Amino acid sequence: MGPGIVILFSLFGVLNAQGGKQISIDECCKDGRVRGIDNQDCTAIPLISESTTCRIVQEQCCAAVLEDTICTSGINTAKDQGACDTQFTGSTCETKTAKMCCDCCLLGRAAREQGLTCDHSLSLGYQCGLVSRACCDDGAPDLETSNSLVSDKDNETLTEKENPLPSNLCSNGLAKCAQECVGNSTCACFKGYKLKPDGKSCEDINECLLGASNCRGGEHCINTVGSFRCQREVSCGTGYELTDSNNCKDIDECESGTHNCSPDFECQNTQGSFRCLPKNQCGDGYIQDAMGSCIDINECLAQTEPCHPGQLCVNTVGSFTCQRNSINCGRGYHLNDGGNRCLDIDECKGPDGACAGHGCINLVGSFRCECKAGFIFNSISRVCEDINECRHYSGRICAHKCENVLGSYKCSCTQGFKLASDGRNCDDLNECESSPCSQECANVYGSYQCYCRRGYQLSDIDGINCEDIDECALPTGGHICSYRCNNTPGSFYCTCPATGYTLAPNGRSCQDVDECVTGTHTCSETQSCFNVQGGFRCLSFECPPNYRQAGEIRARVERSDTIRCVKSCQPNDISCVLDPVHSVSHTVISLPTFREFTKPEEIVFLRTMSPAHSSPQLSSDIVFDILEGNVQNSFDIVKRQEHGMIVGVVRQVKPLIGSLNMVLKLAMNYVTSGVVSHRNIVNVHIFVSEFWF
């Protein structure tokens, strides 16, 4: 860092600080080094100048201090432990720097142990080369420096410009040494320098980096050109200043004028501080306060009585006088008629005496009261005072509340209790005997609780009356009854639609009436009865021309039933034969109006006899399609595999609100080599109820 700082000095000189104050570049560097020493952190340095150059110098000088400290720890580890790998683990920049200095120091020590020259020709980095040569030279005979100790001040003058031997020549005139020549064309360096590999030039030795400084505990080593200096890490404290010799010196506030003594006081310096002494001195009989004022001393209050026995001391301003003592009878006595004796006063004489109705006993110079029960004698005020039993015996004489009265006390109970026969304890009061509740009452300790019968709830206003619960209006009321809820006092009942449903045994659900089973339908003999939710439908299916019905007509059609018409062509009816439709089927399904439609509902399954994995040579497939009746695209059809067979699944994908009737025409296309070989038509008759049940 030394040469770089010299260049900055020569380039920039002085900078403008905040407020117009001129700050030199070395002040910027000094501030950065101090912050690096004190804080061990250079990430957020307060700027002392608006100059960019000063900021750079602050940061670099601070970083140089941290690098020297980190590198020194690595060198010390190499000297103390002799190993680096286990001491420095991690990938931080600080760890890498410390390990580099440790490794390079071990390299220099190995070269010295093997008898090799310290100025080896290895292509090491600049800092690694310095550390390696320094550790190699450390402990070896130093032929390049003298034994004299050079002070900081002397070294600061030994720059190249003021070097007393800038071009010292040996006697033979062949060698030109930078500092001094020791003969035989051999160059040497002053103390604090070491010879460079060229054998002539000298470079500064970083004593702080090598741990060769003699700094004491609490001091930080700072390298200088040719030497080093020790700086205290902790300031001297208030009242002291740091000298050039790194010692703490007392500040004479009186001489420097930094004291705060008023004009009436004189400043007296002390170690680390000062005192303010008043200029005016007080005479005898006075004492001086902190403000310099003279205050009279009361000699009569002194520990040693100033007057002779039998005399009375009287204080005066600045002095005192002694007067002859006269007879003064104390409390409880009075002077006799002759004025020369003190007699006892009988305080118990008189109608009430001194004890105000209590017993009175006269004593010599005093008296004593015999107080009645509930009173106690106060020896200071000498009267009988009431005893506050509630406070004196708190929690021990009354179970609940205690009220003090003159000479006694009175107990009472909180609400819900009554005073017991002993006048102190409290018994529970059964409030339910007075029927405070509108329906049911339960006595509890110290209170009571009203509650209601089923179907009622306690009023939030008074907590006594019971109000009917409208079960139908509760947040869950819509789910109590399947169709309609009717509230009654204390209960409710459910009803179902007038036709098509009957109330279930649980009294809440509505069950569909199967008119086809009960025979209450109105279908003719040629029609088939199909039960739907909430009613029935009379169905009549006729096969189209060239088709005949497979099976007989049923009087009642179930949901799983299918009426199937198969193709039956007349002889020589070519168009009938070529028609790909082989069968026309009818099936019936009843759906509710879904109250909560959250996912598709599977309603019809079209099962085929075709295996899911046919031979690749056949190139056959089955294609399902919706041809007609898909209202608002409420249905779709997907193909899936079940038990190795192809199945078409019709799904309801959108909600439908009934009542609603529709016919969904589906097609099962058997495709071979891209051509429909034959087709089956399925008509799904869908009846959507207006109810969800």
Side-chain angles (χ1 to χ4, degrees):
M1 289 299 295
I5 295 174
V6 173
I7 293 173
L8 290 174
F9 287 175
S10 62
L11 287 177
F12 302 105
V14 178
L15 303 173
N16 287 325
Q18 296 177 354
K21 181 182 176 182
Q22 299 293 320
I23 294 181
S24 63
I25 207 78
D26 64 341
E27 289 179 318
C28 299
C29 183
K30 182 179 179 181
D31 180 80
R33 293 182 66 85
V34 169
R35 296 187 186 279
I37 293 171
D38 294 343
N39 303 331
Q40 294 295 311
D41 184 19
C42 301
T43 55
I45 301 178
L47 302 181
I48 63 174
S49 172
E50 296 178 353
S51 169
T52 303
T53 303
C54 184
R55 176 184 61 78
I56 296 174
V57 172
Q58 279 184 276
E59 293 176 352
Q60 294 304 317
C61 289
C62 180
V65 170
L66 297 185
E67 289 178 3
D68 287 349
T69 303
I70 295 170
C71 190
T72 301
S73 68
I75 293 174
N76 292 336
T77 302
K79 292 180 179 181
D80 298 338
Q81 306 294 334
C84 304
D85 293 336
T86 60
Q87 304 299 322
F88 301 101
T89 59
S91 59
T92 62
C93 183
E94 291 81 359
T95 304
K96 292 181 179 178
T97 301
K99 188 175 185 304
M100 182 273 291
C101 291
C102 182
D103 290 338
C104 294
C105 184
L106 290 180
L107 182 62
R109 291 167 66 92
R112 186 186 64 195
E113 293 173 358
Q114 296 177 12
L116 302 177
T117 177
C118 295
D119 296 323
H120 49 72
S121 59
L122 298 177
S123 299
L124 302 176
Y126 178 72
Q127 187 176 10
C128 183
L130 288 178
V131 173
S132 176
R133 288 196 297 273
C135 290
C136 179
D137 293 335
D138 186 26
D142 190 0
L143 299 177
E144 300 174 356
T145 60
S146 64
N147 293 326
S148 60
L149 183 63
V150 183
S151 65
D152 292 347
K153 184 175 181 182
D154 295 336
N155 277 301
E156 290 175 357
T157 61
L158 291 177
T159 61
E160 281 193 354
K161 184 176 180 181
E162 298 176 353
N163 191 350
L165 297 173
S167 57
N168 185 19
L169 299 177
C170 291
S171 59
N172 56 12
L174 297 178
K176 186 176 181 180
C177 299
Q179 291 188 359
E180 63 177 346
C181 181
V182 296
N184 297 328
S185 302
T186 302
C187 297
C189 298
F190 300 131
K191 182 66 175 181
Y193 296 86
K194 64 179 294 183
L195 203 62
K196 286 188 176 181
D198 60 5
K200 298 178 181 181
S201 303
C202 295
E203 63 180 355
D204 172 56
I205 296 176
N206 192 335
E207 294 84 358
C208 301
L209 191 65
L210 297 176
S213 67
N214 58 354
C215 295
R216 295 168 296 182
E219 294 180 340
H220 181 74
C221 178
I222 299 177
N223 187 58
T224 60
V225 179
S227 184
F228 63 92
R229 63 186 177 90
C230 300
Q231 178 174 309
R232 288 173 60 91
E233 294 181 350
V234 182
S235 63
C236 292
T238 305
Y240 295 89
E241 61 181 352
L242 190 65
T243 64
D244 295 336
S245 60
N246 209 35
N247 293 319
C248 291
K249 175 185 175 184
D250 172 58
I251 299 174
D252 191 341
E253 295 85 358
C254 301
E255 182 180 348
S256 61
T258 57
H259 63 85
N260 59 353
C261 297
S262 62
D264 296 334
F265 288 79
E266 182 179 357
C267 177
Q268 180 183 0
N269 185 61
T270 61
Q271 284 295 322
S273 184
F274 62 92
R275 291 181 180 176
C276 296
L277 302 177
K279 294 180 180 180
N280 298 327
Q281 300 297 323
C282 298
D284 295 338
Y286 294 89
I287 188 172
Q288 204 160 30
D289 63 4
M291 300 303 295
S293 302
C294 294
I295 302 175
D296 172 55
I297 298 175
N298 190 345
E299 294 84 356
C300 297
L301 298 179
Q303 187 174 6
T304 302
E305 179 64 36
C307 298
H308 296 292
Q311 292 182 331
L312 178 66
C313 178
V314 178
N315 184 62
T316 61
V317 178
S319 185
F320 66 95
T321 60
C322 295
Q323 299 177 356
R324 186 174 181 178
N325 203 358
S326 60
I327 297 177
N328 184 20
C329 296
R331 182 178 179 179
Y333 295 88
H334 66 91
L335 197 63
N336 64 355
D337 296 336
N340 58 356
R341 289 184 60 193
C342 291
L343 302 178
D344 173 56
I345 298 174
D346 189 356
E347 295 87 354
C348 295
K349 286 184 178 181
D352 295 330
C355 295
H358 296 273
C360 181
I361 300 175
N362 184 58
L363 302 174
V364 178
S366 182
F367 68 95
R368 179 168 57 86
C369 294
E370 292 288 343
C371 300
K372 298 176 182 178
F375 294 87
I376 188 170
F377 182 68
N378 189 327
S379 60
I380 298 175
S381 62
R382 310 188 72 78
V383 295
C384 289
E385 296 178 345
D386 173 55
I387 298 174
N388 190 338
E389 295 86 355
C390 299
R391 183 172 58 190
H392 193 68
Y393 306 104
S394 177
R396 288 183 288 173
I397 54 176
C398 293
H400 285 186
K401 294 188 293 183
C402 178
E403 180 184 356
N404 185 63
V405 295
L406 189 64
S408 184
Y409 64 93
K410 183 173 66 174
C411 295
S412 60
C413 300
T414 57
Q415 185 177 1
F417 294 88
K418 60 182 178 180
L419 197 63
S421 57
D422 60 3
R424 297 175 58 185
N425 293 306
C426 294
D427 295 334
D428 175 52
L429 179 65
N430 189 353
E431 297 87 352
C432 294
E433 293 178 352
S434 60
S435 302
C437 303
S438 64
Q439 288 190 1
E440 303 295 336
C441 177
N443 184 62
V444 296
Y445 187 71
S447 183
Y448 66 97
Q449 178 66 51
C450 296
Y451 63 96
C452 302
R453 303 183 188 97
R454 184 176 181 180
Y456 294 87
Q457 63 182 0
L458 203 61
S459 173
D460 295 332
I461 299 175
D462 55 17
I464 295 176
N465 294 308
C466 293
E467 300 173 347
D468 172 53
I469 298 175
D470 188 351
E471 294 85 355
C472 301
L474 293 175
T476 58
H479 300 281
I480 293 179
C481 299
S482 296
Y483 178 59
R484 185 165 294 159
C485 177
N486 302 275
N487 186 60
T488 60
S491 185
F492 68 95
Y493 67 93
C494 300
T495 58
C496 295
T499 60
Y501 292 93
T502 182
L503 196 63
N506 62 10
R508 297 187 179 187
S509 303
C510 291
Q511 292 180 340
D512 174 58
V513 176
D514 192 341
E515 293 85 355
C516 299
V517 174
T518 59
T520 57
H521 63 86
T522 58
C523 299
S524 64
E525 293 182 357
T526 60
Q527 293 177 321
S528 299
C529 178
F530 177 70
N531 183 66
V532 298
Q533 290 174 279
F536 64 94
R537 295 290 184 273
C538 296
L539 305 178
S540 178
F541 301 106
E542 294 183 358
C543 294
N546 295 324
Y547 290 86
R548 60 178 177 81
Q549 183 173 338
E552 59 184 16
I553 299 176
R554 300 181 182 181
R556 184 166 64 93
V557 178
E558 298 289 345
R559 174 169 177 165
S560 59
D561 292 344
T562 300
I563 292 87
R564 189 164 179 261
C565 298
V566 297
K567 186 165 65 173
S568 177
C569 298
Q570 298 296 326
N572 300 325
D573 191 347
I574 302 301
S575 60
C576 177
V577 174
L578 296 178
D579 187 356
V581 179
H582 281 196
S583 67
V584 177
S585 302
H586 298 271
T587 186
V588 187
I589 184 171
S590 176
L591 297 177
T593 295
F594 290 105
R595 183 162 57 178
E596 295 179 357
F597 192 89
T598 58
K599 62 179 181 178
E601 294 286 339
E602 298 179 352
I603 59 174
V604 177
F605 293 86
L606 304 179
R607 304 186 184 277
T608 68
M609 300 304 294
S610 299
H613 302 286
S614 59
S615 175
Q617 292 78 11
L618 297 178
S619 300
S620 60
D621 192 11
I622 298 179
V623 178
F624 299 94
D625 193 14
I626 300 177
L627 301 180
E628 298 176 5
N630 194 359
V631 178
Q632 299 177 357
N633 293 322
S634 300
F635 301 92
D636 69 358
I637 185 168
V638 295
K639 183 169 66 173
R640 74 168 60 149
Q641 300 175 10
E642 289 186 3
H643 307 294
M645 297 297 178
I646 297 176
V647 178
V649 181
V650 180
R651 305 185 306 172
Q652 180 183 348
V653 296
K654 291 183 180 180
L656 292 173
I657 300 176
S659 65
L660 185 66
N661 301 333
M662 65 183 70
V663 179
L664 200 64
K665 188 175 182 180
L666 310 177
M668 299 170 55
N669 299 305
Y670 292 82
V671 180
T672 304
S673 299
V675 179
V676 177
S677 60
H678 64 278
R679 174 184 297 166
N680 292 334
I681 301 297
V682 178
N683 295 304
V684 180
H685 298 260
I686 301 174
F687 300 97
V688 182
S689 172
E690 63 176 311
F691 306 109
W692 63 272
F693 46 84

